[in-house]
Amino acid sequence: MKKREFIVQDLLSKIYQEEFKDGKLPNQRKLAEIYHVSRFTIQQAIKNLEEIGIVRVVQGSGIFIHEKWVKNPLIFNSLTRTPYDRIDSKMIGLKKAAATADEQKIFQLDEGAEVWTFERIRIVDYKIEQLEISKMPVALFPDLSQEVVEHSIQKYVEQKGYRISHYITSYDPITTSKDQSKILLCKRGTPAMQITNRAILEDGQVYEYSSIIAIDYSVTYIRPFDREIHRSRID
């Protein structure tokens, strides 16, 4: 693990243990002394914490903890921790066709209904990191376009008047195929994470089904211990 990643996770641990009673981290010079690293490494670690919303840096005053975030579950990964202005999406393809039997089940569609399929890459700091293939029902989104695909799908969905409820996500370690490697500009057989998402509206309708191949991927979960679920599993 890189020093910066270790510092981020160690500070997160200390924040959630409420080690910083005054709601404020030590200054960067002190943190550099504690972790035996350069000020630059500390600056990068604090920047990461700031980008995921755990702390805010007030010039001349210090590094303050966002208490409201600490009290909630937190999930962040190597993409969501990056500000939007450093992420670009480029569409590779967009088409619509009659839904397959599986797609009819996923989206609860009648036979003959159509589904959009789009493919795009996600570029982080000028490096291609993800290849995504997504499907969305045409009946809900008749005007899906390249402009939408290359920007925020979530923003588009809510602007259409829908309310997003939650996501069901699964992760499977894979190695990249020849075609995937060509698009991601990596060697064939590069270790990657396949992330499968079902995005669900408040009325229970699945509005998007996606499969993402991500290289250089990491994810961190911070969640409260659910004692009742734990007991039900061991009783």
Side-chain angles (χ1 to χ4, degrees):
M1 180 183 292
K2 294 179 180 178
K3 288 182 179 178
R4 181 185 65 189
E5 295 298 324
F6 172 82
I7 293 166
V8 168
Q9 294 199 11
D10 194 61
L11 286 173
L12 279 170
S13 175
K14 288 179 169 58
I15 288 169
Y16 275 81
Q17 292 174 60
E18 298 183 350
E19 190 164 312
F20 307 109
K21 298 298 183 183
D22 57 355
K24 185 178 178 182
L25 299 186
N27 62 38
Q28 292 185 9
R29 179 184 59 79
K30 183 63 176 177
L31 288 171
E33 291 175 1
I34 292 171
Y35 289 104
H36 305 289
V37 296
S38 68
R39 287 278 297 277
F40 176 76
T41 300
I42 293 297
Q43 287 169 2
Q44 293 300 106
I46 296 302
K47 184 179 179 183
N48 285 165
L49 290 173
E50 191 174 20
E51 287 171 349
I52 61 176
I54 288 294
V55 303
R56 59 187 175 90
V57 178
V58 179
Q59 200 68 30
S61 297
I63 307 163
F64 296 89
I65 298 166
H66 276 301
E67 292 295 334
K68 67 174 183 178
W69 292 115
V70 173
K71 294 177 181 177
N72 294 314
L74 173 69
I75 301 172
F76 64 91
N77 61 46
S78 45
L79 188 66
T80 59
R81 73 190 299 171
T82 305
Y84 286 124
D85 61 3
R86 286 166 41 202
I87 302 174
D88 286 315
S89 295
K90 297 296 180 185
M91 191 181 81
I92 298 174
L94 172 65
K95 62 181 181 181
K96 63 180 175 180
T100 65
D102 284 344
E103 291 165 354
Q104 289 173 29
K105 292 175 183 176
I106 291 170
F107 297 109
Q108 298 179 316
L109 299 175
D110 295 330
E111 188 174 352
E114 292 183 311
V115 168
W116 290 109
T117 299
F118 66 82
E119 191 170 2
R120 64 179 177 176
I121 54 173
R122 308 300 293 274
I123 304 166
V124 181
D125 292 332
Y126 307 105
K127 178 185 176 185
I128 299 173
E129 290 201 358
Q130 294 188 356
L131 168 63
E132 176 185 353
I133 299 176
S134 285
K135 298 177 182 294
M136 302 177 74
V138 173
L140 293 182
F141 310 105
D143 60 350
L144 187 67
S145 65
Q146 179 173 352
E147 183 180 3
V148 171
V149 170
E150 293 188 343
H151 289 82
S152 170
I153 295 294
Q154 291 89 346
K155 181 179 178 180
Y156 165 72
V157 170
E158 297 226 322
Q159 284 180 339
K160 298 288 287 182
Y162 302 112
R163 296 285 294 174
I164 298 171
S165 173
H166 57 281
Y167 297 88
I168 300 174
T169 306
S170 60
Y171 302 85
D172 293 290
I174 63 164
T175 56
T176 57
S177 68
K178 180 180 178 181
D179 290 341
Q180 292 165 350
S181 300
K182 188 174 181 181
I183 295 171
L184 291 166
L185 303 179
C186 64
K187 292 182 179 179
R188 181 178 182 177
T190 295
M193 190 68 74
Q194 180 169 326
I195 306 162
T196 304
N197 266 317
R198 290 179 190 240
I200 301 173
L201 299 174
E202 284 188 342
D203 64 1
Q205 168 82 45
V206 175
Y207 75 84
E208 183 182 17
Y209 181 84
S210 64
S211 177
I212 300 168
I213 307 301
I215 54 176
D216 297 329
Y217 183 82
S218 63
V219 62
T220 298
Y221 295 84
I222 301 172
R223 57 187 177 85
F225 176 62
D226 192 317
R227 187 165 284 100
E228 293 304 314
I229 290 178
H230 175 70
R231 285 175 179 166
S232 70
R233 293 182 64 192
I234 62 177
D235 288 344

